[in-house]
Amino acid sequence: MDERKRWRAPLLSLIFLLLFLGVWQVATQPDAATAVAADDEYAALLGAAAAGGGQSAMPTPAEVGAKLWEHLSDPFYDRGTNDKGIGIQLAHSIARVLLGFGLAALVAIPLGFVIGMSPLVYRALDPFIQILKPISPLAWMPLALYTIKDSGISAIFVIFICSLWPMLVNTAFGVSSVRRDWLNVARTLEVSRLRTAFQVILPAAAPTIMTGMRISIGIAWLVIVAAEMLVGGTGIGYFVWNEWNNLSIANIISAILFIGLIGMLLDTTLARLARAVTYKE
Amino acid sequence: MSAFRNPFDPEIRLHRGGCACGRHHSQAEHDAAEVLEQRQMQDRVVEGAVMRALFPQDAVRRRFLKAVGGSTAMAAVAGLFPLAAAKEAFAQGGGALEKTKLKVGFIPITCATPIIMAHPLGFYAKYGLDVEVVKTAGWAVIRDKALSKEYDAAHMLSPMPLAISTGTGSSPIPWTAPAVENINGQAITLSMKHKDKRDPKDWKGFKFAVPFDYSMHNYLLRYYLAEHGIDPDRDVQIRSVPPPEMVANLRAGNIDGFLAPDPVNQRAVYDGVGFIHLLSKEIWDGHPCCVFSASKEFVTTMPNTYQALLKGILDATAYARKAENRKEIAAAIAPANYLNQPVTVVEQVLTGTFADGLGKVVRDPNRIDFDPFPYDAFAVWILTQMKRWGQIKGDIDYAGVAREVFLATDAVKLMKEVGLEPPAASKAIEIMGKPFDPGRPDDYVNSFAIRRS
């Protein structure tokens, strides 16, 4: 009985997927040739759909599948500055995200610790954090380009700034809400402040900090696509923009799929890490 | 199939991803390899000349080579004689280049044809430069990257260097436009639903898109509308939309039409979304559109590199000017590395044999043309329009700014050096039947009924 139940959810997922693909297929079914264009010479100058008198339409699932296969079978080609395989583009985006995210973690976690441990600093910095936190990371882009004068670093800066706040706020919250009893026990045992921080507060606040990091990397991955669409050059965002330029919806759908997969991968990795540091009280 | 390949060869590769000989990923790589071969051949010539000078008798040279071996001989000769420098000097034929690895930014539109094609067709390599042409997402980004020196030179809309130099829309930095890339080559495209509204007087309430506020597109569209009695600020909406988004917006019905660079217009036809109402050459035949631009600093601190780069562009422009080369160029710049468009779309733009979207095949070989000469009068006209529409406030030294930014004198000199005939310094300009006298810009601005200044 149990054995059969375990298969139910994946089966249902599969049914949903097939249903979705079916609806997609029906919705994008090309109409049987409606109007015939004036003459062959004219028709040869147009796209397939326009030649039949219509507009080019959404690609069918089969077309997208073919594109996907094309990308998967040769993900690392390099045909010049502006045409690289989707694997290379994804690698560029992931590198940017990890760099910006890493730098943000280096700043946010120590700073969050200080803020969390001192109620005075917490209250003093609170208004700044509250104002800076809700700013859309892309709003920083023109400012970054203007001051940093380097588009690559600007993109990393945008990732840095957007992943900073969730980690900072969560670390501060986690640190400030460590149970008083544990701190008191440490004090009674005359444990040094540094040792308290590393051996009592850090493990106690770790799950909250990890949650902050998980939120941050999610946001960072959302933002990188938009940032790269603005800045261009390399990355999956640039790929989407470049294919938009070419109005190739099939390529864009493939890219969307890859973005989703990588985002899921990043999220599950951090979820695993978070599980490793959780504890039962 | 390119016009230059053997049409009787059954083995010729037709696939966009390959090249003619089949050994390279793309035609671009194939061409790059060919250029490299040319360069190697050139080097051989230099080496040969040096060896012949050192050993006038063949028998002596042979004995020497046999005794020490070829590579040792080469090293020995290189020790005596700066072979590498001689090869470089031969390739350039001028002063030493301050920098050979350059980055040039472009926007993926056919206006950038000379800048783009110079890469796959080897015009940069011919002058000893290793230029990376980088596709850029929009005009504001290309301006910022050029200002921040990420690019050594860039493709810009012709009003942009003027705007940068005068500090309109950014802080003033001396900028130059040493060569115009293309003339004509833009069009007004309207949505299919307006195919019966061909008279601009019926366009009240329309929403139009242009690529940028400081663009010929904006000024030409405003001029065209105003000549038909439509006030471009009050009767219609004109917004700036990046070219790739134009077709998508036209399809979605967010805009009614646009005056845009190609291949956007042809792409709208290709996708059955719009039709070409009017080519921009019917507004002003021979108008400039985009320019090749660089900062004054680059021009003055790296004069040799700048000249080599400009020679490459001028050479490419001259090549693009010839109608018989256009198909080859279309095939070279259509791949994903450059314009990322179907070849037929680019070919229709460059050859001027195109579908208008209403069922007719139009043949107009001058749809787009390439003429590098930066006439001062072009700059003055642009400045008058900036003044007319209130982008520039106050008085302005039209001729002075024009001379500083559009480097006509440099162009004359360099065109002679690469063996091209520079045109006369002035040119009669007539826009929709109204003549323009660059000597009296203020009177010209005041002669318009619809204006903002």
Side-chain angles (χ1 to χ4, degrees):
Chain A
M1 187 65 195
D2 267 351
E3 192 66 13
R4 275 174 58 198
K5 262 187 184 164
R6 197 138 42 103
W7 284 104
R8 274 190 192 170
L11 197 69
L12 206 58
S13 298
L14 195 70
I15 291 174
F16 283 148
L17 180 67
L18 289 178
L19 213 63
F20 172 70
L21 290 178
V23 171
W24 180 0
Q25 176 69 44
V26 170
T28 54
Q29 196 74 259
D31 306 329
T34 43
V36 183
D39 57 290
D40 289 348
E41 189 197 6
Y42 182 77
L45 297 175
L46 296 175
Q55 297 190 349
S56 57
M58 277 284 289
T60 60
E63 283 164 350
V64 174
K67 270 278 175 258
L68 262 177
W69 180 245
E70 204 179 291
H71 287 305
L72 283 175
S73 53
D74 188 8
F76 297 109
Y77 71 82
D78 185 352
R79 290 181 202 135
T81 314
N82 309 307
D83 186 15
K84 298 185 200 304
I86 199 153
I88 297 182
Q89 307 285 20
L90 282 168
H92 273 283
S93 296
I94 294 172
R96 281 196 189 114
V97 163
L98 291 184
L99 200 62
F101 175 78
L103 288 173
L106 281 182
V107 173
I109 294 172
L111 193 64
F113 239 87
V114 173
I115 295 175
M117 284 169 80
S118 155
L120 178 69
V121 180
Y122 194 121
R123 277 203 302 277
L125 287 180
D126 195 49
F128 298 107
I129 296 174
Q130 293 311 328
I131 287 176
L132 291 172
K133 199 172 63 169
I135 295 173
S136 161
L138 291 177
W140 292 99
M141 189 53 105
L143 192 67
L145 272 177
Y146 194 80
T147 50
I148 301 175
K149 295 194 188 291
D150 183 295
S151 56
I153 301 177
S154 298
I156 292 168
F157 170 77
V158 167
I159 297 303
F160 167 82
I161 205 90
C162 77
S163 31
L164 189 70
W165 310 115
M167 279 195 272
L168 186 69
V169 171
N170 266 44
T171 309
F173 174 74
V175 169
S176 65
S177 53
V178 172
R179 279 171 60 180
R180 287 284 123 198
D181 313 352
W182 297 349
L183 292 178
N184 289 340
V185 170
R187 204 171 298 151
T188 326
L189 293 174
E190 292 191 343
V191 180
S192 74
R193 275 188 79 98
L194 204 65
R195 218 174 139 199
T196 318
F198 277 101
Q199 297 201 327
V200 180
I201 301 177
L202 187 62
T208 332
I209 296 175
M210 285 310 296
T211 312
M213 290 175 83
R214 202 175 151 190
I215 298 171
S216 280
I217 202 135
I219 295 176
W221 188 246
L222 291 182
V223 168
I224 192 68
V225 177
E228 285 168 347
M229 282 181 87
L230 274 183
V231 179
T234 48
I236 190 70
Y238 164 76
F239 180 86
V240 171
W241 176 82
N242 195 20
E243 290 309 327
W244 188 11
N245 216 10
N246 188 20
L247 298 170
S248 166
I249 306 296
N251 269 326
I252 292 177
I253 295 176
S254 318
I256 288 174
L257 221 63
F258 283 116
I259 294 170
L261 280 173
I262 300 287
M264 190 179 79
L265 213 68
L266 290 173
D267 191 60
T268 33
T269 314
L270 276 167
R272 284 269 163 82
L273 285 175
R275 217 172 303 146
V277 297
T278 43
Y279 54 88
K280 274 213 176 102
E281 285 184 27
Chain B
M1 193 184 75
S2 159
F4 288 83
R5 311 279 158 222
N6 177 4
F8 301 105
D9 181 2
E11 303 294 330
I12 194 158
R13 303 238 317 200
L14 300 172
H15 182 56
R16 230 178 91 194
C19 77
C21 74
R23 276 180 295 144
H24 306 94
H25 270 311
S26 63
Q27 190 60 35
E29 265 182 48
H30 171 95
D31 292 330
E34 236 171 32
V35 169
L36 203 70
E37 268 172 33
Q38 265 181 14
R39 186 75 201 273
Q40 278 164 351
M41 242 154 69
Q42 225 176 43
D43 289 354
R44 263 285 122 83
V45 171
V46 177
E47 285 165 8
V50 171
M51 284 303 276
R52 268 198 304 280
L54 285 173
F55 303 98
Q57 287 177 327
D58 282 346
V60 179
R61 192 188 72 232
R62 281 219 168 160
R63 266 201 308 263
F64 172 70
L65 288 177
K66 272 195 183 142
V68 301
S71 51
T72 321
M74 201 170 153
V77 172
L80 287 171
F81 188 88
L83 260 185
K87 286 176 197 166
E88 278 293 301
F90 184 80
Q92 293 154 26
L97 296 179
E98 297 87 353
K99 189 176 174 186
T100 52
K101 278 186 87 72
L102 300 176
K103 266 192 180 179
V104 176
F106 73 94
I107 303 280
I109 53 179
T110 41
C111 300
T113 299
I115 289 185
I116 302 171
M117 64 178 269
H119 185 250
L121 300 181
F123 287 98
Y124 294 127
K126 186 174 163 190
Y127 294 98
L129 294 171
D130 176 13
V131 175
E132 196 183 339
V133 287
V134 188
K135 200 183 313 196
T136 312
W139 298 110
V141 179
I142 213 166
R143 180 194 61 201
D144 289 350
K145 285 191 172 182
L147 290 177
S148 69
K149 298 188 187 125
E150 222 173 294
Y151 294 152
D152 297 287
H155 160 211
M156 285 190 182
L157 293 158
S158 48
M160 286 169 66
L162 295 165
I164 294 173
S165 295
T166 53
T168 315
S170 64
S171 46
I173 293 169
W175 214 258
T176 67
V180 169
E181 285 173 48
N182 65 312
I183 54 175
N184 301 339
Q186 324 304 307
I188 297 180
T189 298
L190 293 180
S191 169
M192 273 314 204
K193 66 181 178 218
H194 298 308
K195 70 173 174 231
D196 300 321
K197 291 191 188 167
R198 296 298 293 271
D199 186 352
K201 292 191 175 62
D202 301 335
W203 292 357
K204 278 199 176 152
F206 271 30
K207 285 185 202 123
F208 283 103
V210 292
F212 201 57
D213 286 340
Y214 305 102
S215 67
M216 281 305 288
H217 311 86
N218 190 14
Y219 306 138
L220 287 174
L221 180 62
R222 283 169 174 270
Y223 193 101
Y224 179 74
L225 291 172
E227 289 296 294
H228 286 93
I230 302 276
D231 187 314
D233 288 311
R234 294 186 186 126
D235 298 335
V236 296
Q237 248 188 56
I238 298 179
R239 44 171 117 143
S240 110
V241 174
E245 294 167 36
M246 284 179 174
V247 178
N249 273 309
L250 196 66
R251 178 204 288 268
N254 290 340
I255 50 176
D256 297 285
F258 48 73
L259 199 158
D262 272 310
V264 176
N265 301 297
Q266 202 57 50
R267 189 62 205 250
V269 173
Y270 182 85
D271 280 279
V273 177
F275 67 92
I276 294 177
H277 166 71
L278 184 88
L279 295 179
S280 63
K281 70 179 277 268
E282 293 166 62
I283 302 175
W284 171 2
D285 194 7
H287 72 81
C289 173
C290 292
V291 292
F292 167 75
S293 81
S295 69
K296 190 122 204 171
E297 190 189 333
F298 177 72
V299 175
T300 48
T301 58
M302 300 189 195
N304 295 334
T305 309
Y306 154 73
Q307 289 196 5
L309 188 60
L310 190 53
K311 278 182 191 170
I313 299 274
L314 291 175
D315 224 3
T317 313
Y319 190 76
R321 183 151 213 196
K322 298 200 180 84
E324 67 266 27
N325 297 333
R326 296 276 176 87
K327 275 195 172 180
E328 180 201 1
I329 295 169
I333 67 174
N337 196 19
Y338 306 109
L339 293 183
N340 200 15
Q341 290 287 340
V343 178
T344 169
V345 170
V346 182
E347 207 174 279
Q348 287 179 61
V349 173
L350 292 184
T351 60
T353 300
F354 62 96
D356 67 351
L358 295 171
K360 254 196 2 243
V361 177
V362 182
R363 284 179 183 79
D364 188 343
N366 290 328
R367 174 175 180 172
I368 188 168
D369 204 351
F370 300 93
D371 181 353
F373 199 75
Y375 293 98
D376 283 356
F378 286 168
V380 176
W381 186 82
I382 293 166
L383 289 167
T384 60
Q385 298 305 300
M386 291 169 103
K387 175 92 180 161
R388 176 183 180 186
W389 302 114
Q391 287 180 335
I392 302 179
K393 307 264 187 302
D395 287 332
I396 174 167
D397 172 15
Y398 291 96
V401 174
R403 215 171 25 247
E404 282 289 303
V405 179
F406 276 39
L407 303 178
T409 340
D410 280 21
V412 169
K413 177 173 154 256
L414 293 175
M415 280 175 87
K416 278 184 187 149
E417 277 184 40
V418 295
L420 299 169
E421 183 64 37
S426 66
K427 183 177 177 166
I429 293 176
E430 203 180 276
I431 301 143
M432 294 179 77
K434 185 180 161 96
F436 165 61
D437 176 6
R440 295 160 61 204
D442 279 319
D443 294 348
Y444 185 69
V445 173
N446 293 330
S447 71
F448 292 105
I450 301 178
R451 62 171 195 270
R452 292 289 95 79
S453 65

